[in-house]
Amino acid sequence: MQLLIFLIAYPFLWVISILPFRLFYWFSDFVFFIVFHILRYRRKVVQENLRLTLPHLSNQERAVVEKKFYSHMCDIFLEMIKTITISEKDIRKRFVFTNMDLFHEMAKDNKSIILMLAHYASWEWMVSISLYTNLRAIGVYTKVENKYFDNLVRKIRSRYKGELVTTRETIKTVAENASKKIQCLYGFVSDQSPMLQKSFYWDKFMGIEVPIHTGAEMLAKRCDLNVLFVKIEKVKRGHYEATFVKLVDHPKDHPDYEISSLFLREAEKQILEAPEFYLWTHKRWKHRNKKHEVRKNID
């Protein structure tokens, strides 16, 4: 059944990927109409997230953000499909790194680098970073249940010399590379909500206390890795700029969880500047007010 679903879907995805950009975004507008007005995909989740995290906006202002977000969401997921066939020339033109000098400066000391990102703007096109560095580029991702679509995701995200490891493989991979002194670049999208029973660090994200993923920080400290935040801005439709922000270069000198907190602060600033480009369909704040449950279970 998995293969059948893939064989039916893949030709359609491939046709989308080869559309000229003008037709491609016209198609995205059509998808937006279906998703937003007809299917109303996760509209209640998005509205609740916006209400919780942007209380300073009026209901009308949040409604504007909501609509803009859905339009952007359709763009970015179709842009992921576009990556199947997009040329190197186009990806370089449409996803620009503004300060590679900082990246190269951080790489000079021969330590591996962790890039921490939020689900913001076009995190998918960050795969093009491997075009600009000789470091072994490795992205951390969650394995797709359908093995054929999982292979497709791996193919899409590995087009430009990059590699992927699943979340379960990450610790072993980073530790092995560190022991062999292989300088690598690791990409972590670190704003997800961890499983409640595995949560041990809580912090405020967009003003609400929630459990926080600390895997990137843990690995940075264990293997002495430099850490950069990547701020991605949507310049115009189909065009993005990524700017590196230095978080730490001596992670072991920082108190526990400070690196994770620094990442959250940068992500918050980015979201507040233009909230329509954040991925609001995730139930990021579903565990709010549950910290006492975790403590009770631990006790």
Side-chain angles (χ1 to χ4, degrees):
M1 181 58 72
Q2 286 189 353
L3 178 59
L4 177 62
I5 294 172
F6 176 78
L7 291 175
I8 292 172
Y10 182 75
F12 180 64
L13 299 178
W14 186 82
V15 169
I16 293 173
S17 77
I18 64 172
L19 288 175
F21 277 100
R22 180 173 293 184
L23 291 178
F24 178 82
Y25 287 111
W26 283 352
F27 180 70
S28 182
D29 290 337
F30 170 72
V31 173
F32 160 73
F33 179 82
I34 299 297
V35 170
F36 185 78
H37 293 287
I38 298 178
L39 299 179
R40 297 181 62 84
Y41 173 71
R42 293 202 173 191
R43 290 279 301 274
K44 290 184 179 180
V45 172
V46 172
Q47 290 166 2
E48 175 68 1
N49 284 341
L50 294 176
R51 183 188 66 79
L52 287 170
T53 60
L54 303 174
H56 58 287
L57 298 183
S58 66
N59 291 336
Q60 184 178 5
E61 289 170 327
R62 286 196 291 269
V64 171
V65 171
E66 178 189 359
K67 191 171 184 178
K68 287 182 177 179
F69 156 69
Y70 273 94
S71 177
H72 170 69
M73 182 188 73
C74 293
D75 280 359
I76 58 172
F77 281 105
L78 287 175
E79 285 167 0
M80 182 179 71
I81 297 171
K82 187 71 173 175
T83 315
I84 296 174
T85 58
I86 193 171
S87 69
E88 181 178 325
K89 179 182 176 181
D90 276 334
I91 197 74
R92 285 180 180 269
K93 175 183 175 182
R94 291 175 172 274
F95 197 92
V96 177
F97 294 91
T98 65
N99 61 340
M100 283 301 300
D101 54 331
L102 175 59
F103 178 89
H104 293 312
E105 184 66 29
M106 294 284 277
K108 279 183 180 179
D109 59 7
N110 296 319
K111 293 199 299 185
S112 292
I113 297 174
I114 284 180
L115 300 181
M116 298 184 73
L117 300 82
H119 283 94
Y120 189 90
S122 179
W123 67 91
E124 289 289 346
W125 278 358
M126 266 300 297
V127 296
S128 62
I129 182 64
S130 55
L131 294 172
Y132 300 87
T133 177
N134 291 323
L135 271 62
R136 183 180 172 188
I138 300 174
V140 178
Y141 86 114
T142 302
K143 189 172 184 179
V144 180
E145 184 175 348
N146 184 311
K147 65 179 181 180
Y148 301 100
F149 280 106
D150 184 70
N151 288 335
L152 177 61
V153 169
R154 295 179 74 94
K155 178 181 176 182
I156 291 173
R157 294 178 176 175
S158 305
R159 279 201 64 199
Y160 307 108
K161 303 184 300 179
E163 305 172 35
L164 286 182
V165 296
T166 65
T167 50
R168 291 186 176 184
E169 300 167 329
T170 305
I171 295 176
K172 179 182 178 182
T173 300
V174 176
E176 285 183 355
N177 288 333
S179 67
K180 296 176 182 177
K181 299 189 183 303
I182 300 174
Q183 191 179 15
C184 298
L185 168 65
Y186 302 101
F188 286 80
V189 183
S190 300
D191 59 331
Q192 307 99 316
S193 180
M195 297 176 64
L196 188 60
Q197 60 268 32
K198 295 183 179 180
S199 304
F200 52 88
Y201 173 60
W202 293 64
D203 197 348
K204 285 190 175 182
F205 182 41
M206 297 297 291
I208 302 170
E209 192 172 40
V210 289
I212 304 299
H213 266 298
T214 59
E217 174 176 345
M218 178 271 290
L219 289 168
K221 287 193 162 195
R222 178 182 296 183
C223 301
D224 192 26
L225 312 181
N226 290 335
V227 185
L228 291 169
F229 173 76
V230 188
K231 179 181 180 181
I232 304 174
E233 298 176 89
K234 190 170 188 176
V235 180
K236 60 181 180 179
R237 197 172 198 184
H239 291 264
Y240 304 88
E241 289 184 350
T243 302
F244 299 106
V245 178
K246 180 180 175 180
L247 291 187
V248 299
D249 55 2
H250 297 286
K252 294 181 180 180
D253 294 343
H254 292 262
D256 286 347
Y257 312 126
E258 183 175 72
I259 297 172
S260 298
S261 182
L262 289 171
F263 161 72
L264 290 177
R265 304 293 78 80
E266 293 294 338
E268 286 174 337
K269 286 190 292 185
Q270 184 177 34
I271 294 168
L272 290 171
E273 285 176 7
E276 61 268 30
F277 301 136
Y278 187 63
L279 188 62
W280 294 106
T281 48
H282 280 189
K283 296 181 180 181
R284 181 61 188 91
W285 292 271
K286 62 184 177 182
H287 294 316
R288 66 188 185 279
N289 303 323
K290 294 183 180 180
K291 187 175 182 179
H292 66 284
E293 294 181 20
V294 177
R295 286 180 173 173
K296 183 178 179 180
N297 291 334
I298 292 175
D299 295 340

